[in-house]
Amino acid sequence: MRHHFDSLLDQLNDAMIVMGSLIESAISSATKALVEQDKQQALKAIAFDQEIDQKEKDIEALCLKLLLQQQPVARDLRQISAALKMITDMERIGDQATDISEITILLADTSYIKKLEHISLMAIETGKMVTDAVDAFVQNDLVKAHGVIDADDIVDNLFVTVKNDLIVLINEDVANGSQAMDLLMVAKYYERIGDHAVNIAEWVEFSITGTHRNSLK
Amino acid sequence: MSIAAVERSVDRSVVKPLIAPKIGLEQTSVITTKDLSVYYRELEAIRSVSMTITSKAITALIGPSGCGKSTFLRTLNRMNDTVLGFSINGEVVVDGERIYSSNVDTIALRKKIGMVFQRPNPFPMSIIDNITWALTFHGIRRRDEREAIGVESLKRAGLWDEVCGRLKDPVFALSGGQQQRLCIARAIALQPTILLMDEPTSALDPIATRVVEDLMISLKEDYTVVLVSHNMEQAARVSDQTAFFLMGELVEYSATESMFSNPKNKTTEDYITGRFG
């Protein structure tokens, strides 16, 4: 008796999946470009950001239409309001993939002062966190959402490792300083992507349980 | 002060009744039902409902047609007494008094518990007489006192500014929304402590509905308001507590915000999200 409403909610889920996959593509393109020092690949990652921004606007419009026309309550209200909050974090992830790519272009013609093994691990981990957070939303999977929240510690530890490595490199040779700062920024962007994935997972948790862990109540 | 004098008054806001009536009491009522079952002959319309309705708040009763919410509401002021085959089990306690005890004065009870119905039901008389007429039967013999209460009641119902210049006009000159607020003013005039409202805006347009909803919210400062509503958005907008009835049973009763954002019961969730009903 609410086929139209249900089909609109399906549309919302589909749009979230599309936006999620755009973000995953942006992160993986940005990472590939960084590791391979590939400017063209970096430009691809930047191009994804425009699509992500458009998708955010589309989903926002769909959520507002659902709120206006369906006046949702209970689980429906939580699902729609969670989606509205999630897309803000998703859009920011797209921005950070762009930020990483801009540094990649800047460093493309110079050799790296260190291997990017830990930064690559950060990229893999944060990419998985984003995928799992969006999947958890679509599948109403609380366990998966909690997995994303827990995974943030791994990313944070990797960031500290990268930071300490870079400090050592600067101490060894002050000339490393400039690139070390750029690589620290890259690591920080991945760390922030992890934080945004956690925010998304917390809204998924709210959508499923009705409780947001950061709420004052 | 006579009605004519009131109507002539230039500054309507400073009109002072001769005898200031006490509209709303400091101590508002609490209603408790204990294992309340209501029958129409063999039909069990309400099944073993136990709940406490809090004072100075709006409690909304929601549920699909035939769920028993209106029966429950009308049982709270013994409006069902004359329905053929009506009987109850269990208790309804208002301010510590069992209202189905044999020694209860039902007229006094209904004075204490005012009721507003789905459609405005003004008496075919003037605007002011609609309010003052019943006061005669409740022992207020002085006309100026009745009229003063009438003026205060109209003010409390938010209707005074719209009718103060035409109190002697026939009531049917008023719009539907104004008539409904007049009915609320009429209920208030008897100085009840509880107001029962049975879908009070179902016959009103959206603007009049909003005005009546605002009035309900202001009334809860002084009264215990129980609202039956088919309009769940309205229940979510105005009420503090919501009770969901289904097939005569109280399925869930909780704070409205909680009920509409995170209902505890799957059946409640299915109903309020439109999956059945």
Side-chain angles (χ1 to χ4, degrees), chain B residues 17 28 43 53 77 104 107 109 121 132 134 136 144 152 183 212 215 226 248 257 259 263 277:
Chain B
T28 55
L43 175 73
I53 293 170
N77 71 342
V104 165
I107 293 176
L109 176 75
N121 56 348
T132 57
T136 315
D144 57 354
E152 274 303 297
C183 292
V212 171
L215 175 57
V226 188
E257 194 179 330
M259 169 96 68

Side-chain angles (χ1 to χ4, degrees), chain B residues 76-87:
Chain B
L76 300 181
N77 71 342
R78 297 190 53 169
M79 287 282 285
N80 288 323
D81 282 13
T82 56
V83 176
L84 201 64
F86 168 80
S87 63

Side-chain angles (χ1 to χ4, degrees), chain B residues 254-276:
Chain B
S254 58
T256 297
E257 194 179 330
S258 163
M259 169 96 68
F260 284 97
S261 63
N262 195 14
K264 298 289 171 283
N265 189 290
K266 172 82 167 57
T267 311
T268 311
E269 169 128 12
D270 286 348
Y271 176 70
I272 64 175
T273 56
R275 289 183 168 82
F276 80 88

